[in-house]
Amino acid sequence: MNDLQQSRGGLPNLCGSEETVAEAVRSGSPALTSSNLSPIDFGRIKSGFAVALHMHQPLLPAGGSDLRTAELIGNLGYMMNHQDIGDNHNAPVFHWCYKRMGEFIPQLIEEGKQPRVMLEYSGTLLHGLEKMGLRDVFESLRRVTCEPRYAAAVEWLGCAWGHPVAPSTPPQDYRLHVRAWQHHFAAAFGLEALGRVHGFSPAEMALPNHPNTAYEFVKTLKDCGYRWVLVQEHTVERPETGSGPERKHLPHRLVCRNARGEEAAITAILKTQGSDTKLVAQMQPYYEAKGLSQWELAGQKVPPLVTQIADGENGGVMMNEFPAKYHEVLRECSGSPTPILNVSEYLAHLFSLGIKEKDLPTLQPILQKRIWDRFRPADGPEQLAKVISQLKREDSRFNTEGGSWTNNISWVRGYDKLLDPMQRASAHFFEKVIQPRIPSTEPRYRNALFHLLCSQTSCYRYWGEGTWADYGREICRRLEVILQHDF
């Protein structure tokens, strides 16, 4: 049973039942090591592939003509109401994209196939869909999430609620995003379903590479019960050489250390190649996996897993080509030596063979070798800052802004007019809400948290200066008013 309300006081249910949510995560965590999770006959397969669909729409102060008073609405709602502008005529198709996997999975299972898909929906998207009253989306997704006959086919990935980029989001706020998404997901789909969410998908595949921020990122995921994280291959390196990973289709161990010598590690699955929706829309991972055979890992023969993630609704190929191609490939690969898998069932098989996380090849965030060559863990934050400054002076391309699948875009440079208000609002939230230990059950806490998380959405930076940056600054302004008035 799920006793969490999906929304409270017109806001998403982001907080207030932390211990109930944490217990659901703890009770579900042992499932990843179970050897009887999957009906797939791992004894006869030579390789596998996995696809994940990333779904996100931001919340905008666009429910009215005056920016300072406009209601916060989902971007999909704005698109629906303004279909004469730009590509907004795609809004009805987007609506279908958000629910269609709930149609495809039962159809393929009825045919006797073994479909799989990993889903990642941002908290702002879920709230936007709720505000629009799109019950059909939630009913479709709940069917394949909660009904035992279909649930094995769908693996949900956790994410940060407001779709913030981890490298430039204050670590204490990022932790709030991660916990808020778990809370919101449990309210929407149930505590039992939350207990089956083992993997994490960071927004924009952005992985922090500053040692302190990277450590806090991994520690947050581990503390919140996550067992593995999806990372972009170009954001990591081998510690011994500083070059990229070699056997990209095997799981790795992502190890992050901070300036005080503390270490946090988590299993990492590599998403290969760059950001291209065609890779998933045309089911490229299947065709790549067909050319692979079993590899050796820790003395065992294991199937490599080709993994890709792409926007699940964005672009003509995903809107139009993906449905037919997904059905075609699923009908061909089910029961074959190259089946589609979800990552957690793949890892469960590997762990059932006796393979442990410590047996996996090690990776660290990109460019860190250059830091560790000059800096000893435990030398402290001041010495780390000196080493990083020296490296930047020597090479203008060196940076600790992190990496993502959009490495041509900086999430920091050129955004001072937005980042400064974000940082001030974050500091004031900590001063007014966190330090005084305001109970998370109070409506004023939920309201302030909601605005804090909304203000850090990556879209306000992705599209550069202009209207989108104005949206971000306006939400920061509203948060400052809330903090001043209510606390």
Side-chain angles (χ1 to χ4, degrees):
M1 294 292 293
N2 183 26
D3 57 0
L4 297 179
Q5 301 174 20
Q6 195 163 343
S7 62
R8 303 182 69 177
L11 296 176
N13 193 348
L14 305 177
C15 56
S17 302
E18 283 78 11
E19 185 50 45
T20 299
V21 170
E23 177 56 33
V25 172
R26 285 193 295 268
S27 64
S29 61
L32 191 56
T33 58
S34 173
S35 61
N36 59 356
L37 271 181
S38 176
I40 302 293
D41 182 3
F42 281 94
R44 65 179 295 270
I45 71 174
K46 64 175 188 175
S47 60
F49 69 103
V51 296
L53 303 180
H54 161 69
M55 308 285 199
H56 167 61
Q57 293 290 345
L59 295 170
L60 314 174
S65 57
D66 185 347
L67 179 65
R68 293 175 69 88
T69 59
E71 180 186 9
L72 271 176
I73 64 173
N75 189 50
L76 181 65
Y78 179 83
M79 292 173 65
M80 284 286 193
N81 296 333
H82 300 86
Q83 294 189 41
D84 57 323
I85 299 176
D87 293 331
N88 289 356
H89 60 272
N90 289 323
V93 184
F94 278 25
H95 173 197
W96 179 57
C97 289
Y98 295 134
K99 68 177 182 178
R100 66 189 182 185
M101 293 312 299
E103 301 168 1
F104 296 170
I105 296 297
Q107 177 184 346
L108 287 161
I109 288 178
E110 291 294 335
E111 294 179 15
K113 307 307 178 187
Q114 294 178 318
R116 295 289 186 273
V117 71
M118 297 187 293
L119 299 177
E120 180 236 313
Y121 283 52
S122 74
T124 54
L125 170 61
L126 292 174
H127 182 57
L129 296 172
E130 291 164 20
K131 283 184 68 70
M132 293 176 69
L134 298 181
R135 296 188 191 91
D136 57 329
V137 175
F138 289 96
E139 289 169 359
S140 181
L141 293 175
R142 285 192 190 106
R143 183 186 185 196
V144 294
T145 300
C146 302
E147 292 187 21
R149 185 179 184 189
Y150 307 126
V154 176
E155 174 166 17
W156 281 89
L157 304 181
C159 62
W161 188 88
H163 201 267
V165 282
S168 55
T169 301
Q172 73 274 10
D173 294 351
Y174 197 83
R175 181 172 288 245
L176 291 171
H177 279 277
V178 174
R179 291 199 182 281
W181 185 90
Q182 292 179 312
H183 210 287
H184 194 177
F185 180 85
F189 297 100
L191 292 163
E192 189 277 333
L194 176 64
R196 292 185 272 114
V197 180
H198 300 301
F200 188 87
S201 175
E204 306 295 344
M205 290 288 104
L207 178 68
N209 70 333
H210 187 288
N212 293 343
T213 311
Y215 167 81
E216 293 295 340
F217 171 76
V218 172
K219 189 173 188 303
T220 287
L221 298 190
K222 295 290 285 188
D223 288 350
C224 292
Y226 286 103
R227 311 296 291 274
W228 61 270
V229 62
L230 190 62
V231 299
Q232 163 70 22
E233 65 167 312
H234 302 112
T235 66
V236 288
E237 65 183 18
R238 285 179 286 158
E240 63 275 12
T241 64
S243 56
E246 290 183 332
R247 298 199 293 173
K248 302 170 185 177
H249 304 312
L250 289 179
H252 287 67
R253 182 171 180 255
L254 177 66
V255 179
C256 296
R257 294 172 290 169
N258 66 11
R260 293 184 172 86
E262 298 169 302
E263 183 177 290
I266 191 170
T267 298
I269 298 294
L270 299 184
K271 175 235 181 297
T272 54
Q273 304 187 60
S275 173
D276 188 347
T277 51
K278 292 179 182 178
L279 294 172
V280 171
Q282 298 172 357
M283 300 297 282
Q284 177 272 343
Y286 171 56
Y287 299 102
E288 182 176 354
K290 284 180 70 175
L292 301 175
S293 296
Q294 292 192 350
W295 293 347
E296 184 176 328
L297 176 63
Q300 300 285 342
K301 288 286 189 178
V302 302
L305 185 73
V306 181
T307 307
Q308 288 290 353
I309 184 172
D311 289 351
E313 83 285 51
N314 204 13
V317 287
M318 284 307 303
M319 288 188 287
N320 303 314
E321 296 179 27
F322 172 73
K325 195 63 179 177
Y326 180 78
H327 282 80
E328 174 191 329
V329 166
L330 264 294
R331 288 168 180 143
E332 180 178 325
C333 76
S334 294
S336 79
T338 304
I340 190 170
L341 303 168
N342 285 331
V343 167
S344 287
E345 70 177 332
Y346 171 75
L347 290 175
H349 167 66
L350 267 55
F351 296 155
S352 74
L353 299 176
I355 297 171
K356 296 179 171 51
E357 186 180 275
K358 65 180 179 61
D359 298 323
L360 306 179
T362 300
L363 294 173
Q364 65 188 16
I366 196 169
L367 299 180
Q368 284 198 353
K369 184 178 188 302
R370 296 172 67 177
I371 295 174
W372 301 125
D373 283 348
R374 301 189 186 189
F375 176 79
R376 294 177 303 173
D379 277 358
E382 291 186 6
Q383 181 61 26
L384 175 62
K386 291 178 181 178
V387 168
I388 290 174
S389 295
Q390 184 181 29
L391 288 167
K392 287 180 178 179
R393 287 194 300 271
E394 294 173 2
D395 183 354
S396 60
R397 296 168 297 177
F398 179 86
N399 71 83
T400 53
E401 297 172 10
S404 74
W405 62 10
T406 52
N407 279 341
N408 59 316
I409 295 176
S410 170
W411 298 99
V412 176
R413 293 189 299 275
Y415 292 107
D416 291 346
K417 292 181 181 178
L418 175 57
L419 284 174
D420 287 348
M422 284 175 56
Q423 297 289 351
R424 286 196 301 272
S426 170
H428 291 161
F429 181 88
F430 183 80
E431 175 189 343
K432 296 274 193 172
V433 181
I434 301 301
Q435 276 191 324
R437 299 181 182 273
I438 303 298
S440 64
T441 52
E442 292 192 13
R444 59 175 180 161
Y445 179 104
R446 184 177 303 106
N447 189 36
L449 176 65
F450 171 72
H451 284 82
L452 173 73
L453 303 187
C454 286
S455 74
Q456 295 171 341
T457 297
S458 69
C459 302
Y460 308 138
R461 282 183 272 172
Y462 185 91
W463 300 108
E465 281 292 340
T467 301
W468 286 87
D470 291 342
Y471 287 151
R473 284 190 286 266
E474 170 58 21
I475 297 173
C476 289
R477 185 195 68 79
R478 295 184 188 191
L479 173 58
E480 294 281 17
V481 171
I482 292 167
L483 294 172
Q484 182 176 359
H485 182 269
D486 293 347
F487 295 88

